[in-house]
Amino acid sequence: MERMTSPKNIPSPAVSASAANDAKTTTAPKSRTAEARSAARRPAQVMPATEGWDQAKNPEGRPLLQFKSPRVSQPPVHLADMTLPEREARFKEMGLPAFRAKQLSVHYFQHYTTDPERMSDLPKDRRTEITETMFPKLLTEIKRLTTDNGDTVKFLWRLFDGSLVESVLMRYPGRITLCVSSQCGCGMNCPFCATGQAGLTRNMSTAEILDQIVQANRVIAEGGLGNLRRDGGHDADRVTNIVFMGMGEPLANYKRVMNAVHRMVAEAPEGLGMSARGITVSTVGLAPAIRKLAEEGVAITFALSLHAPDDELRDELIPVNDKWKVDEVLDAAYNYYKVTGRRVSIEYALIKDMNDHPWRAEMLAKKLNARGRGWVHVNPIPLNPTPGSIWTSSEPAVMAEFINTLIDLGVPTTLRDTRGKEIDGACGQLAAAE
Ligand code: SAH
């Protein structure tokens, strides 16, 4: 699959002027004006452009945004799509007492099994019927790639309609993070992200989102994730953290994603009994949905993929900026903090000569500080390559300057650890090809 993107190096007029001037220096060295000299010191401005693939455009020639999924069909209803009372009602229809719904939920959410052979507490003559009704097969594992001495595992799943999605499981000391997908493909069309290049196929169902976690928990229980610590430190034995940073734009699939979040935090056996603060929803910046998220009453972590503090660049880097501008999404992010008390994360992929200029770090700090102090932290990440791409990550010294500028201006900033590059499992690399 073609996933190449590249920047078109458009020198700013000032830079071209100085280049022209340089060319002239051999014949007329004294012709350099003060203005041209200062222009020569101005850093290059690379603008986003696509190469090797065609970015879908709308009739106005702007990058196409897809909010509605072209494919509306959803997988058959699964136990994880339902609340516990809904499961009980379903069991009643099947002529089974309510407590059976709880037993089945324990098997799925606590033992990670859908195998009737392992359900000796259920009536023998109905086990197969119950599991076939409540556990239609949602995710079929197609491929598993491992790196970091087994501590990072990428799964490729085939869904009931042939759609492919990926999730990435990562063991860290004391915690295990799963990066989940929320849509098949993505409609947000960001030129530096591999997922967007094929567009959106459909929204994933609540149970398809949750089943990624249950399947990961099963793999962990079977010993399929990395080596345990030998220093006596605590090891997590199931997924403790979720990041909605796999394929898709979670806030464009709002209802199903939120149902999944509610089930992640629901006590077992209704759900997975996870801690809300360990769950991060990351978005390109759908402002109305961010405002709605603040009212959900679950204290999850909210992350905004900002990548540029100025609309001029962000319009090109994050096409949804056509609809909701930098200031509006920052206001929505700040409101999330005000309502929930949860500190917001700003994601910023550092791209060489595109968004890594010190003046952009200053502008970002200014915009964040204007809204308050202590409400936000910035998480820069070196841009991950997509195959064939000539967009490049910023130089280490430039990254350091960017980060230090933010810190000096009072904005907590930490470079994000990135995992899974070797298996195309890092941020922006998920494209789900066989
Ligand atoms: N659609 C959501 C979640 C998926 S992407 C969002 O955009 O926030 C998760 C993160 O990876 C986002 O911050 C995204 O901007 C970032 N990302 C995308 N492509 C990347 C790349 N090539 N290198 C580094 N980060 C990238």
Side-chain angles (χ1 to χ4, degrees):
M1 178 186 201
E2 280 289 10
R3 304 188 281 176
M4 286 183 275
T5 59
S6 72
K8 194 158 61 196
N9 198 339
I10 307 173
S12 67
V15 174
S16 329
S18 94
N21 226 307
D22 282 345
K24 267 189 260 158
T25 47
T26 44
T27 50
K30 290 213 171 93
S31 72
R32 277 179 82 105
T33 61
E35 196 186 321
R37 273 197 303 278
S38 101
R41 283 199 300 273
R42 242 190 258 179
Q45 175 62 62
V46 172
M47 290 301 283
T50 57
E51 194 178 88
W53 64 286
D54 289 322
Q55 194 182 32
K57 297 278 164 63
N58 68 16
E60 286 86 57
R62 297 291 302 157
L64 182 73
L65 293 167
Q66 292 171 285
F67 288 97
K68 282 220 172 73
S69 35
R71 202 180 288 176
V72 289
S73 63
Q74 286 283 302
V77 175
H78 181 280
L79 174 127
D81 285 306
M82 297 179 246
T83 61
L84 190 54
E86 286 167 351
R87 290 169 216 163
E88 289 170 349
R90 185 80 184 79
F91 270 64
K92 229 178 176 171
E93 283 168 27
M94 293 168 70
L96 289 160
F99 76 91
R100 297 288 184 205
K102 221 174 229 166
Q103 285 178 317
L104 196 67
S105 303
V106 168
H107 284 300
Y108 182 70
F109 283 117
Q110 290 177 278
H111 302 150
Y112 322 127
T113 186
T114 55
D115 178 2
E117 298 298 315
R118 295 179 56 192
M119 300 183 185
S120 52
D121 56 345
L122 291 178
K124 198 159 192 222
D125 58 329
R126 304 212 51 189
R127 268 181 227 163
T128 313
E129 175 203 351
I130 293 171
T131 51
E132 278 175 3
T133 312
M134 300 302 275
F135 299 127
K137 185 132 183 85
L138 297 178
L139 270 57
T140 305
E141 188 177 333
I142 299 295
K143 198 158 69 179
R144 193 187 294 193
L145 294 174
T146 299
T147 182
D148 297 324
N149 290 322
D151 280 345
T152 302
V153 178
K154 181 172 88 164
F155 299 94
L156 174 66
W157 308 106
R158 178 177 290 130
L159 309 185
F160 85 108
D161 58 351
S163 299
L164 299 174
V165 296
E166 293 177 323
S167 25
V168 185
L169 184 60
M170 292 160 279
R171 185 188 283 283
Y172 296 93
R175 68 188 159 97
I176 295 175
T177 299
L178 183 71
C179 179
V180 294
S181 293
S182 58
Q183 295 184 307
C184 307
C186 185
M188 297 297 108
N189 214 349
C190 301
F192 58 102
C193 178
T195 306
Q197 296 182 13
L200 176 65
T201 305
R202 70 166 168 89
N203 285 319
M204 289 176 73
S205 72
T206 294
E208 282 174 328
I209 295 168
L210 289 163
D211 203 41
Q212 294 172 73
I213 311 173
V214 170
Q215 300 240 23
N217 280 339
R218 186 185 305 144
V219 169
I220 297 162
E222 288 164 356
L225 179 67
N227 301 308
L228 297 185
R229 294 170 71 172
R230 290 196 200 94
D231 60 4
H234 171 71
D235 262 312
D237 57 5
R238 63 172 197 151
V239 173
T240 56
N241 294 61
I242 298 292
V243 290
F244 277 90
M245 297 189 188
M247 301 174 69
E249 167 49 46
L251 296 189
N253 185 16
Y254 192 89
K255 227 179 87 208
R256 296 180 188 90
V257 164
M258 284 321 297
N259 281 341
V261 167
H262 285 298
R263 219 132 299 147
M264 287 172 203
V265 301
E267 285 304 319
E270 169 141 25
L272 284 157
M274 300 180 69
S275 146
R277 50 193 55 223
I279 300 169
T280 301
V281 167
S282 173
T283 178
V284 286
L286 277 53
I290 300 170
R291 293 189 284 265
K292 203 160 139 196
L293 187 67
E295 307 296 334
E296 282 285 343
V298 266
I300 56 175
T301 301
F302 172 71
L304 173 65
S305 295
L306 192 69
H307 305 306
D310 54 309
D311 288 317
E312 202 183 346
L313 177 57
R314 197 168 193 270
D315 279 345
E316 305 306 318
L317 216 45
I318 311 287
V320 85
N321 206 62
D322 280 354
K323 285 176 93 77
W324 298 289
K325 297 290 172 196
V326 170
D327 282 319
E328 186 177 357
V329 283
L330 287 180
D331 284 343
Y334 179 66
N335 177 67
Y336 187 85
Y337 164 77
K338 284 303 274 184
V339 173
T340 64
R342 300 281 301 142
R343 196 160 74 150
V344 167
S345 275
I346 302 276
E347 296 157 275
Y348 201 106
L350 284 163
I351 312 173
K352 187 176 178 183
D353 293 335
M354 193 181 291
N355 64 356
D356 60 359
H357 310 89
W359 70 263
R360 282 203 164 90
E362 283 165 24
M363 184 189 249
L364 177 58
K366 198 168 154 203
K367 289 197 173 188
L368 299 178
N369 288 337
R371 287 165 173 84
R373 296 281 180 148
W375 69 278
V376 68
H377 75 275
V378 178
N379 242 196
I381 174 177
L383 183 83
N384 288 312
T386 48
S389 153
I390 58 164
W391 300 60
T392 26
S393 161
S394 306
E395 305 290 340
V398 175
M399 285 199 263
E401 187 182 1
F402 193 91
I403 291 166
N404 290 334
T405 304
L406 281 160
I407 292 172
D408 289 348
L409 293 169
V411 180
T413 305
T414 37
L415 190 66
R416 184 141 55 105
D417 168 36
T418 178
R419 281 261 193 116
K421 245 201 273 193
E422 312 73 23
I423 53 172
D424 279 350
C427 297
Q429 294 185 317
L430 303 186
E434 274 183 84

